[in-house]
Amino acid sequence: MVQPLRLGLAGLGTVGIGVVKIVQRHADLMTMRTGRPVVITAVSARSKGKDRGVDLSAYAWEDDPVALARRDDIDVFVEVMGGHDGAAKDATEAAIAAGKDVVTANKALLAHHGQALAEAAEAAGRVIRFEAAVAGGIPVIKSLTEGLAGNQIKRVMGVMNGTCNYILTRMQNAGLPYETVFEEARQLGYLEADPNLDVGGIDAGHKLSLLASIAFGTKVAFDHVELEGIGNVSIEDIHLADEMGYHIKLLGVAQMSGRGLEQRMTPCLVPADSPFGQLQGGTNMVMLEGDSVGQIVLRGPGAGEGPTASAVMSDVIDIARGLRLPTFGCPATQLADVCPAKSATPAPYYMRATLLDKPGALAKIATCLGDAGISIDQMRQINQQDEQDDKALVLIVTHKAAPADVAHAMSQFAATGVLVGAPVAIRIEEI
Amino acid sequence: MVQPLRLGLAGLGTVGIGVVKIVQRHADLMTMRTGRPVVITAVSARSKGKDRGVDLSAYAWEDDPVALARRDDIDVFVEVMGGHDGAAKDATEAAIAAGKDVVTANKALLAHHGQALAEAAEAAGRVIRFEAAVAGGIPVIKSLTEGLAGNQIKRVMGVMNGTCNYILTRMQNAGLPYETVFEEARQLGYLEADPNLDVGGIDAGHKLSLLASIAFGTKVAFDHVELEGIGNVSIEDIHLADEMGYHIKLLGVAQMSGRGLEQRMTPCLVPADSPFGQLQGGTNMVMLEGDSVGQIVLRGPGAGEGPTASAVMSDVIDIARGLRLPTFGCPATQLADVCPAKSATPAPYYMRATLLDKPGALAKIATCLGDAGISIDQMRQINQQDEQDDKALVLIVTHKAAPADVAHAMSQFAATGVLVGAPVAIRIEEI
Ligand SMILES: NC(=O)c1ccc[n+]([C@@H]2O[C@H](COP(=O)([O-])OP(=O)(O)OC[C@H]3O[C@@H](n4cnc5c(N)ncnc54)[C@H](OP(=O)(O)O)[C@@H]3O)[C@@H](O)[C@H]2O)c1
Ligand SMILES: NC(=O)c1ccc[n+]([C@@H]2O[C@H](COP(=O)([O-])OP(=O)(O)OC[C@H]3O[C@@H](n4cnc5c(N)ncnc54)[C@H](OP(=O)(O)O)[C@@H]3O)[C@@H](O)[C@H]2O)c1
């Protein structure tokens, strides 16, 4: 008689209910695919009484997810509560200590405590799986850890926060300023309770740090992700970039070079006709680059009940099938300490500045760039008139420049005394 | 002491040499990732003496791949010779009989003998893996079998023959006729020895039949794939389709409905701005649609030494890691017999016909469509003059129509007596 795989489900929100629905709807399919039934034994959430639109009466209830994690009648603890501390952490630790496998959708938890949890799990002979934590329904963890396991990974790039991509594409398509679209997104329920997790790039940074660990065999190093959110992306820059053939995306890049590990999650210009440039709305996209395979691009829904539950269930089914791997693809004790790159790889930059229309103003700007060792690929001046002044908008695309040199040039711009307002510099990623 | 995983490599062509290079270059990486060394013990090819640009001196040589498959000092038989019968089949059967796991890149072999081989392997407790057989470096078998295992699969679509996509995009971009580009492709070495495997859609059809088996839990049914190659795609239709916002692709579609299993590998019009429409050159793309996850799109190199060897090695590494699954995702003995759909799902169609510019000619065409129960979405008439005659080019986009009705209308067109040459009808897939 085959033993069913018994799940303890902590969290009955968007993702948790999605998991319940798949388990209930596809019992036969999963038995066929795994050779054993997959069942939910017990569940936990904050409010027991809430109507969640599904029948939970067959499942034991636990008020405390830690108690759920320790139950004798579960094999896998499914953590879909969220939060990088508190209940999620306590219950995950308890599950491992009690000899359970863990499936989680919680990137915050793993970005902060992944190393310790992985070591504990591996010492106990248990697995922690987290496909749903990165890029929702896209099987990117599996593709990277297993599908590209014969490659030395060169680079990982991704648009991995659907809310940010929604906001940026909506700004562009509707010509609306950030604040307006942010408010729309809030009203549509697209934003986390703490919106800075989304628009500050933190959520996407968590995801990037997990991919980087697998890709490069290093310990998760979220603290070393260079983070910049989308709050300063102006509709003006979106339009001007578009005219030059670029779109602005919150783009994550992780790459390893002789200079160390580089992890960035920042707004970038990408070619409008590139796969990333064409990505609209809440869809996610990840590019994995390996030394043998070249570039693989994966695209799909990055969030939502169905897609996220699909990813959780792929982890559960792997466990039911006996497919077991270390959390980050190789034993946690063998993951290397991160040596972070001192600064990002040089890249071309888009720059925008408004100048007082005085003789020699443009020359001063060009001189700043020259002094910083930055050479100019394209430069355009657009004269503007308003009630008070004659002004000139200057757009520059540089050749490859070091970020430090760009920062230096920006500060020198300010010192010229010919600027109106603050200048802008945004990195261009040519993919 | 951990045991190394020992490979017997049959085939030292493009893919085989790619495998040798990865095994030699990434010995440490693979030991780190799998916990055990992955080594090549013995190899086989036709000509022993050939200089293959890599050092093979450490490997035992077998003239006969069957003898290689039976060697005591191999654990995994890697079949990268090709061909659906003969050596590839004999050696694969011998390997299974001798208790070896098998990794193959050979879609022809599995499309023809996959069911029997899978049953034999599973009876012997062995696995057959074939990530490299479909869409080269893209981990599409893994994504479908494991990553989307929590889904009922609704549909699989793909552009999976790089040579055909190269030919079609080159025709479009350079404005060249099929024959010219076919000859170019031949000279570039892009075509199989039997080019009909590529341009006849057979190779892509093999791949589609393997995906369909996994997706729907059915026996591989290559015989039921509706196959049409690209040899009749004219540069005229490519241009006219483009003007209407479509590109022509050799597109595979597998879907299961109440009507049965539908498998098609035929030229289709797809929206120019869709992911498939934008796919240029030799790149492959596969879309997997599941009931929970929605649509996942995977894109990457579909052939070549590095990408294909990357896929072979991902299978080898899975075996080294102890990740073992039935060939088609569930036990071969449980795969259902295919009930093929009698005909393809209705779809809009693009039609082109050249008419003698006689009064009432257009009305006759419209009447044929009406009589066949096909309604017209768009219709355009372009008058043309050449030395002899006044002619009119008529372009039609229909509303959704059943393929049988389209075929009927086409035959009725011919009976009107107002046509110059043969009319064309190509299915439109709106993705
Ligand atoms: N939503 C997505 O699309 C998505 C995508 C990828 C990853 N994720 C991740 O998945 C996790 C869950 O997300 P979600 O969107 O499903 O969240 P959610 O809708 O807010 O649901 C959270 C669930 O956890 C329960 N919960 C919270 N704290 C608890 C505690 N201390 N004890 C017991 N139960 C507790 C809640 O109980 P009550 O219902 O009683 O309040 C609720 O059922 C998060 O880590 C998130 O980052 C979500
Ligand atoms: N090339 C790709 O990009 C690609 C992509 C995906 C899948 N595949 C599949 O991978 C397989 C191999 O393709 P390939 O391009 O590497 O082919 P290839 O370059 O033609 O190499 C075939 C190899 O098999 C050897 N061989 C053929 N018949 C043999 C026999 N009877 N006994 C011993 N050795 C024999 C040949 O030996 P000699 O060298 O001595 O002649 C050669 O080394 C095929 O199934 C193909 O469909 C290829």
Side-chain angles (χ1 to χ4, degrees):
Chain A
M1 203 20 223
V2 280
Q3 295 296 320
L5 186 78
R6 300 162 304 172
L7 313 181
L9 181 62
L12 295 168
T14 304
V15 184
I17 292 304
V19 169
V20 170
K21 287 182 185 168
I22 295 182
V23 170
Q24 294 184 350
R25 187 168 65 226
H26 287 323
D28 291 348
L29 196 66
M30 286 190 293
T31 306
M32 167 102 165
R33 288 183 180 160
T34 69
R36 59 198 286 202
V38 174
V39 299
I40 295 170
T41 317
V43 298
S44 177
R46 272 180 305 223
S47 35
K48 184 169 182 182
K50 206 191 262 184
D51 177 9
R52 302 175 191 271
V54 292
D55 180 6
L56 301 169
S57 59
Y59 314 140
W61 176 271
E62 293 281 358
D63 283 319
D64 178 5
V66 172
L68 175 69
R70 291 188 181 133
R71 284 176 69 104
D72 286 340
D73 58 0
I74 73 164
D75 306 301
V76 181
F77 179 67
V78 180
E79 187 282 296
V80 286
M81 296 182 290
H84 68 80
D85 275 308
K89 178 162 177 276
D90 296 344
T92 301
E93 288 170 348
I96 293 164
K100 317 297 182 188
D101 293 319
V102 173
V103 172
T104 179
N106 192 334
K107 50 263 173 178
L109 176 70
L110 292 179
H112 285 95
H113 308 293
Q115 181 66 25
L117 291 170
E119 287 185 20
E122 288 162 33
R126 296 294 105 198
V127 298
I128 301 177
R129 303 293 305 254
F130 58 99
E131 186 63 83
V134 181
I138 306 175
V140 60
I141 300 291
K142 185 171 274 293
S143 295
L144 183 61
T145 317
E146 304 169 37
L148 268 55
N151 290 261
Q152 183 170 12
I153 302 298
K154 297 294 187 191
R155 195 161 53 141
V156 173
M157 297 175 85
V159 170
M160 299 187 283
N161 183 283
T163 304
C164 289
N165 203 51
Y166 167 82
I167 291 176
L168 292 173
T169 48
R170 171 93 177 125
M171 284 171 72
Q172 167 150 9
N173 298 342
L176 293 170
Y178 175 77
E179 292 70 21
T180 311
V181 178
F182 176 88
E183 206 38 52
E184 276 184 13
R186 187 203 293 279
Q187 272 159 27
L188 289 165
Y190 289 179
L191 284 159
E192 301 258 3
D194 171 5
N196 196 42
L197 285 174
D198 286 317
V199 297
I202 298 168
D203 167 81
H206 287 153
K207 295 169 181 167
L208 186 72
S209 70
L210 300 178
L211 290 180
S213 170
I214 300 170
F216 306 114
T218 47
K219 291 180 183 153
V220 181
F222 171 64
D223 289 350
H224 293 297
V225 179
E226 179 191 337
L227 273 188
E228 187 188 323
I230 60 169
N232 291 324
V233 176
S234 72
I235 180 68
E236 186 174 10
D237 288 317
I238 288 180
H239 284 322
L240 292 168
D242 192 25
E243 281 171 27
M244 296 195 296
Y246 294 102
H247 291 166
I248 301 183
K249 299 285 167 191
L250 180 68
L251 186 71
V253 179
Q255 66 190 82
M256 183 66 88
S257 71
R259 302 164 46 261
L261 176 64
E262 184 175 338
Q263 300 178 99
R264 292 177 271 121
M265 182 57 69
T266 63
C268 291
L269 270 68
V270 296
D273 60 2
S274 66
F276 283 112
Q278 288 165 348
L279 195 68
Q280 296 272 323
T283 309
N284 279 202
M285 182 177 283
V286 180
M287 188 278 282
L288 307 173
E289 187 175 327
D291 63 344
S292 290
V293 79
Q295 298 187 346
I296 300 286
V297 178
L298 313 173
R299 168 196 153 128
E305 177 183 298
T308 314
S310 163
V312 168
M313 289 311 297
S314 84
D315 285 339
V316 167
I317 290 170
D318 270 5
I319 293 172
R321 282 170 159 168
L323 307 181
R324 304 178 70 80
L325 280 182
T327 310
F328 298 104
C330 65
T333 51
Q334 290 181 36
L335 293 168
D337 286 311
V338 161
C339 164
K342 294 270 175 313
S343 74
T345 322
Y349 275 79
Y350 156 95
M351 295 178 178
R352 172 175 61 83
T354 307
L355 307 187
L356 295 171
D357 197 8
K358 291 188 186 161
L362 194 61
K364 285 189 178 158
I365 292 301
T367 304
C368 293
L369 289 172
D371 290 350
I374 298 172
S375 62
I376 297 171
D377 180 26
Q378 299 173 43
M379 188 155 184
R380 248 174 79 194
Q381 175 165 346
I382 305 165
N383 291 328
Q384 302 181 311
Q385 287 188 335
D386 66 14
E387 314 79 62
Q388 293 134 38
D389 285 307
D390 281 358
K391 292 185 293 192
L393 179 68
V394 177
L395 296 181
I396 298 165
V397 173
T398 72
H399 284 292
K400 278 191 186 172
D405 294 339
V406 172
H408 179 66
M410 288 284 115
S411 69
Q412 292 305 102
F413 281 8
T416 57
V418 299
L419 250 62
V420 183
V424 168
I426 311 177
R427 190 181 171 92
I428 301 177
E429 285 288 343
E430 305 278 3
I431 308 139
Chain B
M1 198 26 220
V2 280
Q3 296 295 320
L5 186 77
R6 300 163 304 172
L7 312 181
L9 180 62
L12 295 169
T14 306
V15 183
I17 292 304
V19 169
V20 170
K21 287 182 184 168
I22 295 182
V23 170
Q24 294 184 350
R25 188 169 63 226
H26 287 324
D28 291 348
L29 196 66
M30 284 189 294
T31 306
M32 167 102 166
R33 289 182 180 160
T34 69
R36 59 196 287 202
V38 175
V39 299
I40 294 171
T41 317
V43 299
S44 176
R46 273 180 304 223
S47 35
K48 186 171 180 181
K50 206 191 262 185
D51 178 9
R52 302 176 192 270
V54 292
D55 180 5
L56 302 169
S57 59
Y59 315 140
W61 176 272
E62 294 280 358
D63 284 320
D64 178 5
V66 172
L68 175 68
R70 291 188 179 134
R71 283 176 70 104
D72 285 339
D73 59 359
I74 73 163
D75 305 302
V76 181
F77 179 66
V78 180
E79 188 281 296
V80 286
M81 296 183 289
H84 67 80
D85 275 309
K89 177 162 177 276
D90 296 344
T92 300
E93 287 170 349
I96 293 165
K100 317 297 181 187
D101 292 319
V102 173
V103 173
T104 179
N106 192 334
K107 48 264 175 179
L109 176 70
L110 292 179
H112 285 94
H113 308 292
Q115 180 67 24
L117 290 170
E119 287 185 22
E122 289 162 33
R126 296 294 103 198
V127 298
I128 301 176
R129 303 293 305 254
F130 57 100
E131 186 63 81
V134 182
I138 307 175
V140 60
I141 300 291
K142 186 172 274 291
S143 294
L144 182 61
T145 318
E146 303 169 35
L148 267 56
N151 290 259
Q152 183 171 14
I153 302 299
K154 295 294 185 193
R155 194 162 55 141
V156 173
M157 296 175 85
V159 170
M160 297 186 286
N161 183 284
T163 303
C164 289
N165 204 50
Y166 167 82
I167 291 176
L168 293 173
T169 48
R170 171 95 178 124
M171 284 172 72
Q172 167 149 9
N173 297 342
L176 294 170
Y178 175 77
E179 291 71 20
T180 311
V181 178
F182 177 87
E183 206 38 52
E184 276 183 13
R186 187 203 293 279
Q187 271 159 27
L188 287 165
Y190 289 179
L191 284 159
E192 302 257 3
D194 172 6
N196 196 41
L197 284 175
D198 286 317
V199 297
I202 298 168
D203 168 80
H206 287 154
K207 295 169 182 168
L208 186 73
S209 71
L210 300 178
L211 291 179
S213 169
I214 301 170
F216 307 114
T218 46
K219 290 181 182 152
V220 179
F222 171 65
D223 289 349
H224 293 298
V225 179
E226 179 191 337
L227 273 188
E228 187 188 323
I230 61 169
N232 290 326
V233 176
S234 71
I235 180 68
E236 186 175 9
D237 288 317
I238 288 181
H239 284 323
L240 292 168
D242 192 25
E243 280 171 28
M244 297 195 295
Y246 293 100
H247 291 166
I248 301 184
K249 299 285 167 190
L250 180 67
L251 186 71
V253 180
Q255 68 191 81
M256 183 67 89
S257 71
R259 301 164 46 262
L261 176 64
E262 184 176 337
Q263 300 179 98
R264 291 180 271 120
M265 182 58 70
T266 62
C268 291
L269 270 66
V270 295
D273 60 1
S274 67
F276 284 112
Q278 289 165 348
L279 196 67
Q280 296 272 323
T283 309
N284 280 202
M285 182 176 282
V286 180
M287 189 279 284
L288 307 173
E289 187 174 326
D291 63 344
S292 290
V293 78
Q295 298 187 346
I296 300 286
V297 178
L298 313 173
R299 168 195 154 129
E305 177 183 298
T308 314
S310 163
V312 168
M313 290 311 298
S314 85
D315 285 340
V316 167
I317 290 171
D318 270 5
I319 292 172
R321 282 169 159 168
L323 307 181
R324 304 178 69 81
L325 279 182
T327 310
F328 298 104
C330 66
T333 50
Q334 288 181 36
L335 293 168
D337 286 312
V338 161
C339 163
K342 293 271 175 315
S343 74
T345 322
Y349 276 77
Y350 157 95
M351 296 177 177
R352 171 174 62 81
T354 306
L355 307 188
L356 295 171
D357 196 9
K358 292 188 186 161
L362 195 62
K364 284 189 178 159
I365 293 299
T367 304
C368 292
L369 289 172
D371 290 349
I374 297 172
S375 62
I376 297 171
D377 180 25
Q378 299 174 43
M379 189 156 182
R380 250 174 77 194
Q381 175 164 346
I382 305 166
N383 291 330
Q384 302 181 312
Q385 287 187 335
D386 64 16
E387 314 80 63
Q388 294 133 38
D389 285 308
D390 280 358
K391 292 186 297 193
L393 179 68
V394 177
L395 295 181
I396 298 165
V397 173
T398 73
H399 285 291
K400 278 190 186 173
D405 294 338
V406 171
H408 179 66
M410 288 285 115
S411 68
Q412 293 306 101
F413 281 6
T416 57
V418 299
L419 249 61
V420 184
V424 168
I426 310 177
R427 191 179 170 92
I428 301 177
E429 284 289 342
E430 305 277 1
I431 309 141

